[in-house]
Amino acid sequence: MKKNYDVVIVGSGIAGLYTALNLSPRLQVLLVSKRELTLNNSSLAQGGVASVLDTVHDSKEAHFRDTMIAGGQKNNPDAVRILVEEGPDDVRKIMEYGVEFDKTPDGKLHYTLEGGHSKPRIVHHKDATGREIVEKLLLQVKKLPNVEIMEHTLTACVKKGKDFHFDLIRGEEHFHVNSHFCMMASGGIGRVYEYTTNSKIATGDGIAFAYEMGAKIKNLHYIQFHPTGFANKLTRETFLISESVRGEGAYLLNCHGERFMQKYDSRLELAPRDVVSHFIMKEEKATGSNEFFLDISYKDPEFIKNRFPMIYQNLLKEGIDMTKDKIPVYPCHHYLMGGIDVDLNGKTSIDRLYAAGECSHTGVHGNNRLASNSLLEGLVFSRRAAKEINRLSDLFDQEFEEGSFPEDRYTEPCPHGFRTETRNIMQRAYFVNPNLEEARKGFEEIKRFQQLLENGHYRLDMDYVEAKSLTTVAYIILKEVLTGQDETVK
Ligand SMILES: Cc1cc2nc3c(=O)[nH]c(=O)nc-3n(C[C@H](O)[C@H](O)[C@H](O)COP(=O)(O)OP(=O)(O)OC[C@H]3O[C@@H](n4cnc5c(N)ncnc54)[C@H](O)[C@@H]3O)c2cc1C
């Protein structure tokens, strides 16, 4: 391992990997992942990637329109235009890298439909699209001689002066490295909630690091609650029952086994996610029961097993056969639309700090992401950021500043409980709809946690970094909810 790199990429999801693939081979790059390289939200993506590859039956204009409607017209139209115009080439590019999408019997790409899309335009690899993409892109990144990869390596990052300084912690080992550029591709914040579809890594670390550096954070309360997480009665670990199950015709039923979306929205089960989640909560009030189900058992069992092999298997493990049984579902946290604010080239408000993927706020999603637009966003804007870094890295001297890392490290372990308590607070304060009274109480409690963590002199490890990240994220979300401000700078 070197001491100095041109670029450090935090994250091995779609945004981190595609950044690495688009950086110039003359740049020395380090890519880090705090757990296994494939443990991230990207690998969990089921539904697919939305993009208009077939301009005969579909149009980029329609994709633009659908994205803006789902986002409540709160999207940045320039970013959406770039997404829909440039996205198809990135999808073709990853197919060149070996990513395989499902085909129809006559060998053409199979396009599926998800909520909010006016045309079937989503390419997918059965129901495990993200895993296919991450595995194939990772194979390509591993071939790059200029990119070093560190797995199971927790990063904490600061910027003092021009350059970035990283603490890297791998088991008992502790390293320091510097870089001229930093790409945050550190993913979402799902673990700030009790009920989430997100991977364990989704604790908002990159957002917290950027906030500490003084970067502008935007719309962190723009959170998508998915209507159909598997309602696991035994543990809080949930998994997603993809929107494409409804896309393929599944009915959403209340506790009486009745469809109810017709009471609320003419788009029925395929209304955008926030709308369906919202009406589930309304129906819960109407029936007095939190029991909801998806039912696709009227379809051919072979079709179901072949179209949704991963969901089918996951459900079987829970004792549910989706070809015969109704699937218990309930809303859960799913996706973050806000994040570290970036321009159209992924640049944050901090010099040479870039962000892409779920930790970033490009404005593409408005206040609600259109299904399957996030993998596409990860591709398009990480590529643009990488190109910008390539261009800028030619323009300044290559001398590195030495980082000032404290020699005497604290050794006391961070007490347990901060993460769990933060989750409980967020679940009460802002789940689908904000509860202002709980938000007020929770905000005071979170500020207290932050002080304890700040003054506690705790060892730099996973417990401490994640506790700090989750409390920072919760602080910003609740502040936005309570003040109505959409931007936060430390
Ligand atoms: C269940 C599920 C299904 C989804 N389905 C779809 C879909 O069908 N279509 C779609 O478009 N989107 C989907 N999404 C959303 C999409 O998968 C994500 O938004 C996207 O993949 C995020 O990619 P990313 O690269 O930004 O982050 P991630 O893929 O989450 O990667 C983050 C990386 O950052 C690393 N990291 C974080 N903090 C640190 C740290 N402190 N030190 C070192 N490394 C760190 C992690 O280890 C990880 O490697 C889905 C999401 C989920 C959870």
Side-chain angles (χ1 to χ4, degrees), residues 11-12 14-15 34 41-42 45 47-48 155 205 335 358 369 372 374-375:
S12 61
I14 193 166
K34 69 177 170 178
N41 277 1
S42 298
T155 313
D205 300 1
Y335 182 76
E358 196 167 339
R369 170 184 67 126
S372 288
S374 45
L375 290 173

Side-chain angles (χ1 to χ4, degrees), residues 189-207:
I189 59 156
R191 293 287 163 154
V192 79
Y193 279 98
E194 252 181 302
Y195 300 114
T196 177
T197 56
N198 283 196
S199 148
K200 277 197 176 69
I201 58 90
T203 51
D205 300 1
I207 295 172

Side-chain angles (χ1 to χ4, degrees), residues 253-310:
L253 309 175
N254 64 14
C255 60
H256 306 300
E258 299 159 351
R259 287 178 82 183
F260 59 91
M261 279 302 293
Q262 71 284 359
K263 286 199 273 185
Y264 304 115
D265 194 294
S266 59
R267 291 166 291 185
L268 306 175
E269 279 87 348
L270 286 178
R273 291 168 183 185
D274 58 333
V275 175
V276 181
S277 295
H278 177 75
F279 288 128
I280 288 180
M281 302 314 276
K282 203 162 175 183
E283 186 69 4
E284 175 173 338
K285 280 212 175 100
T287 61
S289 164
N290 62 6
E291 297 216 323
F292 291 88
F293 302 92
L294 274 181
D295 190 0
I296 194 167
S297 61
Y298 70 93
K299 289 247 173 177
D300 174 19
E302 284 315 306
F303 166 78
I304 296 175
K305 284 189 220 167
N306 190 44
R307 177 67 184 84
F308 303 111
M310 190 163 85

Side-chain angles (χ1 to χ4, degrees), residues 10-17 32-50 114 122 129-130 134 153-156 185-188 196-199 201-206 209 239-240 242 273 334-335 356-359 369-378 465 469:
V10 183
S12 61
I14 193 166
L17 294 173
V32 286
S33 167
K34 69 177 170 178
R35 293 181 188 260
E36 295 95 90
L37 291 170
T38 53
L39 190 105
N40 45 49
N41 277 1
S42 298
S43 296
L44 293 177
Q46 299 176 351
V49 190
E114 291 191 285
I122 295 154
T129 308
V134 168
T153 305
L154 175 76
T155 313
S186 49
T196 177
T197 56
N198 283 196
S199 148
I201 58 90
T203 51
D205 300 1
F209 302 150
F239 59 86
L240 182 69
S242 163
R273 291 168 183 185
H334 184 52
Y335 182 76
E358 196 167 339
C359 70
R369 170 184 67 126
L370 182 65
S372 288
N373 263 354
S374 45
L375 290 173
L376 190 68
E377 181 200 31
V465 168
S469 301

Side-chain angles (χ1 to χ4, degrees), residues 101-160:
F101 294 116
D102 286 9
K103 303 259 172 60
T104 58
D106 57 356
K108 297 198 177 116
L109 283 169
H110 176 256
Y111 301 111
T112 194
L113 186 66
E114 291 191 285
H117 286 276
S118 56
K119 293 274 176 188
R121 62 170 71 101
I122 295 154
V123 286
H124 61 99
H125 182 95
K126 300 201 181 291
D127 60 352
T129 308
R131 200 171 60 203
E132 166 72 8
I133 295 176
V134 168
E135 283 173 1
K136 295 289 167 63
L137 294 190
L138 196 52
L139 283 177
Q140 297 297 327
V141 173
K142 283 181 173 168
K143 290 184 199 160
L144 299 174
N146 63 319
V147 179
E148 279 176 60
I149 299 177
M150 287 182 79
E151 193 174 14
H152 291 292
T153 305
L154 175 76
T155 313
C157 167
V158 295
K159 186 172 201 264
K160 289 191 182 130

